[in-house]
Amino acid sequence: MSAPIYQLQKYQASDYGIRPNDLSEAALCTIIELTQAGFQAYIVGGGVRDLLLGLHPKDFDIATDATPDQIKRIFGRQCQIIGRRFQLAHVYQGRQMLEVATFRAPHEEHSSQSQTSAHGMIVRDNIWGTIDQDALRRDFTVNAMYYQPQTGQILDFANGMQDVQSKTLRMIGDAATRYREDPVRMIRAARFAAKLGFELDAATAAPISHLAYLLKAISPHRLYDESHKMFSCGHLRILLQHLHEMGLFSSIFPLLKEDVINSRLVTLAAQNTDDRLQQGKSVNPAFFYAVLLWSWQQRLTQIELDKGEDIFPAYQAAGIKVLAQQSQHTAIPRFVAQTIRDIWDLQPRLEKPRSRVVPKLIIQPRFRAGFDFLLLRELSGDNRTHGMGNWWEHYQAVNTDEQEVLLRQLDKPKPKKKPKKAKKPSDEPSAS
Ligand code: ATP
Ligand code: MG
């Protein structure tokens, strides 16, 4: 496949309201140090794209003609070389870390050092090249612009500026080939469309539905990282719809029923996640995983209960199974999995607490997340919470005297329904 022909366009960043001060100090320092050492250095990708769109870039990625070894020599102990498939320098400036990538050449010209798998997937990609070669290896046209803060110039190698203005997400080169090289680009297409409010160009969108299966070849570690980026992109609610429509959701979560995306619990949680990020709050990926996998967890819990298992062990067994299976697709780190299980295991405890366990539950490290989860279930219309989301919310808001009253309500025997006929030995399960 021959490289697409584009004409290099040069723009003055100040004409677009972009100034060096819009960069983080760490990014600016890194660029200046690289140029002082005699190398080219630019902000590339999301940093340029988001500034042009008037958004606040999440981070600033740097591209340079210095090789990783040369970058290491310049920054010394401030620099760490990482990655095998895709070698990168991490440069530390105070508490900030910047990714500094060396310009890369197209992989097909140096087959001995770049490798593709039988499906056309790139498995090694460390061939250094020139800036124009580097630009055409990037995914979308809007991600292939380079900003040099010292000259004030923006170099646009693939008509990215035009696509920023028309809000179009367009793959550089032949989209199907580029997805085969790296199937994660399909998820990135969905994520950028959601985050930027862009439309996918028709040729960029067309191959996705029949290439979605290629995601199965991606390492579960990389897919977990992608799931994390999905949850924290700030537009999760729309992103879930895109992933669903593009047929990508089931490649990442093959064991979930697709309609889970449209459930009230998932929709509410996604909106909540987006709102939190909008307010500058952090989000924990464990919480959204707990939401997404909840209905599956509940199905397996019911199977355990039907086998005669008690409620708490049933929850635990189901949780372990669900997470083990999902981790084959997105490698959920152990500490995240533990938080997800803690959130789930707290649900039956929070639904039917005895008064004496309330003070113990409330000081549990995961109480907050478990309570938020309960409340969200209640808001989504799940009546198995018995209104206890509301109760816990009230309990935390009142003084100790009123708390005493609320606690006494918990231990009140439930109103008798009908007069009992014959006395049988009680087999009612105890909740505590
Ligand atoms: P954001 O950081 O806001 O999610 P970004 O565009 O900066 O968006 P990164 O993942 O930080 O995305 O990558 C930086 C740049 O590297 C991208 O803009 C793109 O030019 C290039 N890039 C990243 N991943 C790929 C990929 N899988 N294929 C081709 N180019 C990529
Ligand atoms: Mg970035």
Side-chain angles (χ1 to χ4, degrees):
M1 176 68 38
S2 61
I5 315 275
Y6 291 109
Q7 185 80 42
L8 168 65
Q9 308 285 334
K10 295 181 182 173
Y11 300 96
Q12 221 34 61
S14 58
D15 292 344
Y16 295 85
I18 299 175
R19 314 203 175 271
N21 281 350
D22 292 328
L23 306 184
S24 65
E25 211 181 300
L28 201 53
C29 285
T30 308
I31 289 195
I32 292 172
E33 283 185 62
L34 282 162
T35 52
Q36 279 174 349
F39 296 102
Q40 302 173 47
Y42 297 86
I43 298 292
V44 66
V48 190
R49 178 197 70 215
D50 290 355
L51 285 178
L52 284 171
L53 288 164
L55 302 172
H56 199 73
K58 178 170 117 263
D59 47 37
F60 291 102
D61 303 299
I62 294 174
T64 176
D65 60 348
T67 63
D69 288 343
Q70 288 168 325
I71 302 168
K72 176 81 189 160
R73 246 173 271 143
I74 297 167
F75 293 96
R77 287 177 51 196
Q78 271 175 275
C79 170
Q80 211 182 346
I81 309 295
I82 60 136
R84 243 169 72 85
R85 190 185 78 89
F86 194 94
Q87 228 181 37
L88 270 183
H90 279 176
V91 172
Y92 293 86
Q93 301 274 11
R95 290 161 138 253
Q96 269 205 52
M97 187 276 286
L98 290 124
E99 285 193 349
V100 183
T102 307
F103 297 148
R104 281 170 164 77
H107 60 99
E108 65 259 18
E109 286 174 19
H110 301 263
S111 52
S112 64
Q113 288 171 64
S114 83
Q115 295 173 7
T116 40
S117 73
H119 294 290
M121 194 163 99
I122 299 180
V123 287
R124 274 286 173 92
D125 197 6
N126 288 321
I127 317 302
W128 317 135
T130 57
I131 186 168
D132 48 324
Q133 289 176 318
D134 186 76
L136 299 186
R137 293 182 51 271
R138 291 180 179 271
D139 46 8
F140 303 101
T141 60
V142 293
N143 287 348
M145 285 182 280
Y146 297 69
Y147 170 45
Q148 215 306 328
Q150 293 156 295
T151 64
Q153 237 178 16
I154 294 175
L155 304 181
D156 175 6
F157 290 91
N159 291 344
M161 186 67 88
Q162 209 174 300
D163 286 338
V164 162
Q165 280 159 358
S166 65
K167 294 189 172 290
T168 307
L169 197 66
R170 190 188 313 273
M171 181 63 81
I172 297 175
D174 175 62
T177 310
R178 305 298 315 279
Y179 294 137
R180 284 184 190 281
E181 286 172 2
D182 180 4
V184 168
R185 289 174 185 151
M186 293 185 275
I187 304 179
R188 289 173 63 84
R191 178 155 57 82
F192 289 131
K195 171 177 157 166
L196 307 171
F198 277 27
E199 288 280 337
L200 257 65
D201 150 70
T204 301
I208 294 183
S209 56
H210 46 270
L211 293 181
Y213 75 96
L214 291 173
L215 283 168
K216 296 199 169 71
I218 299 297
S219 99
H221 288 99
R222 189 158 176 226
L223 277 190
Y224 175 77
D225 287 347
E226 281 304 315
S227 72
H228 194 176
K229 287 181 194 168
M230 279 158 42
F231 299 171
S232 57
C233 78
H235 299 267
L236 177 57
R237 196 170 160 183
I238 298 170
L239 174 54
L240 289 175
Q241 293 305 326
H242 284 351
L243 289 170
H244 178 50
E245 285 156 18
M246 291 157 94
L248 295 171
F249 185 78
S250 58
S251 300
I252 314 170
F253 299 99
L255 293 152
L256 287 185
K257 293 185 177 162
E258 285 253 343
D259 58 7
V260 80
I261 288 185
N262 294 318
S263 73
R264 232 175 112 59
L265 180 69
V266 169
T267 319
L268 268 176
Q271 188 60 53
N272 229 7
T273 307
D274 293 341
D275 292 346
R276 282 185 65 90
L277 288 162
Q278 179 76 33
Q279 294 156 12
K281 295 183 188 164
S282 63
V283 296
N284 183 346
F287 192 86
F288 199 74
Y289 260 107
V291 167
L292 265 186
L293 306 178
W294 173 243
S295 51
W296 182 15
Q297 198 281 353
Q298 290 289 278
R299 277 199 304 280
L300 295 199
T301 299
Q302 193 55 53
I303 293 172
E304 296 293 322
L305 291 173
D306 292 346
K307 284 194 272 186
E309 190 54 278
D310 285 338
I311 184 92
F312 298 140
Y315 261 74
Q316 283 170 0
I320 290 169
K321 269 190 206 155
V322 165
L323 291 171
Q325 289 190 45
Q326 179 56 38
S327 288
Q328 291 177 10
H329 307 283
T330 56
I332 301 172
R334 206 179 281 237
F335 71 97
V336 177
Q338 187 56 54
T339 307
I340 300 170
R341 284 182 50 203
D342 290 345
I343 291 172
W344 287 340
D345 293 350
L346 269 169
Q347 297 310 300
R349 292 182 159 84
L350 297 177
E351 282 168 14
K352 285 185 185 165
R354 290 293 171 97
S355 63
R356 63 187 160 78
V357 295
V358 167
K360 289 184 206 151
L361 282 172
I362 215 156
I363 56 165
Q364 278 212 10
R366 295 289 170 229
F367 171 79
R368 186 77 221 174
F371 159 68
D372 282 347
F373 193 88
L374 183 80
L375 210 52
L376 211 62
R377 287 175 53 210
E378 199 157 295
L379 272 174
S380 74
D382 181 346
N383 54 21
R384 289 164 308 162
T385 67
H386 310 292
M388 285 305 289
N390 208 335
W391 185 93
W392 281 102
E393 189 164 42
H394 194 45
Y395 180 82
Q396 292 171 84
V398 297
N399 63 29
T400 42
D401 289 346
E402 287 173 88
Q403 283 185 338
E404 281 304 315
V405 177
L406 285 171
L407 288 177
R408 278 200 294 277
Q409 281 177 2
L410 287 182
D411 295 336
K412 267 191 197 156
K414 297 270 177 294
K416 287 195 181 110
K417 286 168 197 159
K418 280 182 190 165
K420 286 178 192 160
K421 287 174 198 162
K423 271 207 168 178
K424 270 193 204 167
S426 168
D427 59 356
E428 215 172 281
S430 144
S432 57

